[in-house]
Amino acid sequence: MEKKERLRAIVEGSVFTGIIQFLILASAVVFVIESDRQQLEVDPYATHFIVLDVVFLVLFSIEYALRVYIEPKKRDFVFSFYGLIDLVAILPSLFLVPGFRVLRILRFLRIFRIFKATRFILAVDRLGAALREIQQELLALVILSLMFVYLAACGIHFFEREVQPEAFGSILDSMWWSVVTLTTIGYGDVYPTTSGGRLFTALVALVGVGLIAIPSGLLASALTEARVEREQIEADEAENEK
């Protein structure tokens, strides 16, 4: 048990964490470089890339094995979010072994290695806590947004269906314009030409600004509360240690 605790201290220590973060970034960089080589129609299975894949495979496999070993509830860890991310970071490299290249389409899954970095970012934990805090409000906002998308599509269809049947001939066709306008993206590929349609578009755009601003405000407030709560916990822990 003492040996496992010492190993846990090493795995969760700053040095080991720094090494894993470096490997994550290196893996992501290699992924980007290799994709560029593919674009240039150069053999993506050049020897140095195979060597790097094997190195990453071995090191990430060792890390995964260590984390499973030090966890008291191994099954819970294996099927947890981070446990699955660790596993996904390993599996694609197995398909790069000669003889398994038929499965090379799965190579893109290596990009999931970058998500392993979230294990070490405290801000991500606060973000997760903030999202859980406002999940009911976000769900209500999603439902409200879908309602507005539907109503906006119905409205623009009413105003524009006669003059632009190719773009607004049905409510379903009008959905694209509705989503683009409510999200304030405004591609400009389809737009109203009638006076009523333009006035209606202005109203929809104003509603869209509000829909975009609401979740931003909710998330900012929840993040502030999560930060204050975390700082209070740290202050209490520091006080108890004295």
Side-chain angles (χ1 to χ4, degrees):
M1 184 63 67
E2 184 178 347
K3 178 182 178 181
K4 184 176 291 188
E5 290 302 320
R6 288 201 301 268
L7 186 58
R8 178 188 293 274
I10 293 174
V11 171
E12 296 179 352
S14 59
V15 175
F16 190 88
T17 298
I19 293 173
I20 295 301
Q21 287 179 327
F22 173 78
L23 291 175
I24 293 168
L25 293 176
S27 175
V29 169
V30 169
F31 183 80
V32 172
I33 294 174
E34 188 174 356
S35 68
D36 186 56
R37 288 173 59 85
Q38 289 174 326
Q39 186 175 2
L40 296 174
E41 297 183 355
V42 179
D43 181 16
Y45 293 102
T47 303
H48 53 286
F49 281 113
I50 294 178
V51 171
L52 285 173
D53 275 317
V54 172
V55 170
F56 289 137
L57 171 62
V58 171
L59 294 177
F60 283 129
S61 297
I62 292 174
E63 185 218 1
Y64 181 75
L66 288 174
R67 293 194 181 279
V68 172
Y69 175 72
I70 64 176
E71 286 294 330
K73 298 181 179 179
K74 294 178 173 51
R75 182 182 178 85
D76 291 344
F77 170 76
V78 169
F79 291 100
S80 67
F81 174 76
Y82 287 124
L84 292 174
I85 288 296
D86 287 343
L87 190 60
V88 169
I90 298 169
L91 289 180
S93 291
L94 294 175
F95 299 123
L96 297 179
V97 177
F100 288 89
R101 291 184 181 180
V102 66
L103 299 175
R104 61 182 179 272
I105 192 172
L106 296 179
R107 288 185 310 146
F108 80 94
L109 290 177
R110 287 178 298 167
I111 197 64
F112 279 101
R113 288 173 181 166
I114 201 67
F115 287 104
K116 286 160 60 68
T118 60
R119 175 198 304 280
F120 313 111
I121 303 176
L122 184 59
V124 173
D125 293 332
R126 286 200 297 265
L127 179 60
L131 289 174
R132 288 191 295 271
E133 182 70 23
I134 61 173
Q135 60 182 347
Q136 296 298 328
E137 290 84 353
L138 290 178
L139 178 60
L141 188 62
V142 168
I143 295 174
L144 186 63
S145 298
L146 292 175
M147 291 172 57
F148 274 118
V149 167
Y150 171 74
L151 293 174
C154 291
I156 200 66
H157 168 68
F158 172 78
F159 286 110
E160 298 291 324
R161 68 181 187 275
E162 298 294 338
V163 294
Q164 297 190 75
E166 69 286 350
F168 303 102
S170 69
I171 294 176
L172 189 61
D173 291 335
S174 303
M175 287 285 186
W176 169 249
W177 171 91
S178 180
V179 171
V180 169
T181 304
L182 277 170
T183 55
T184 68
I185 296 175
Y187 284 125
D189 51 344
V190 290
Y191 51 88
T193 57
T194 65
S195 299
R198 290 175 177 175
L199 178 60
F200 182 74
T201 298
L203 295 175
V204 171
L206 290 174
V207 172
V209 171
L211 287 177
I212 296 298
I214 290 173
S216 301
L218 287 173
L219 185 58
S221 177
L223 281 172
T224 300
E225 292 180 6
R227 179 185 291 274
V228 171
E229 182 178 347
R230 179 65 183 178
E231 290 176 350
Q232 183 62 46
I233 292 174
E234 292 177 351
D236 292 341
E237 290 177 350
E239 184 67 25
N240 292 332
E241 290 177 357
K242 292 181 179 179

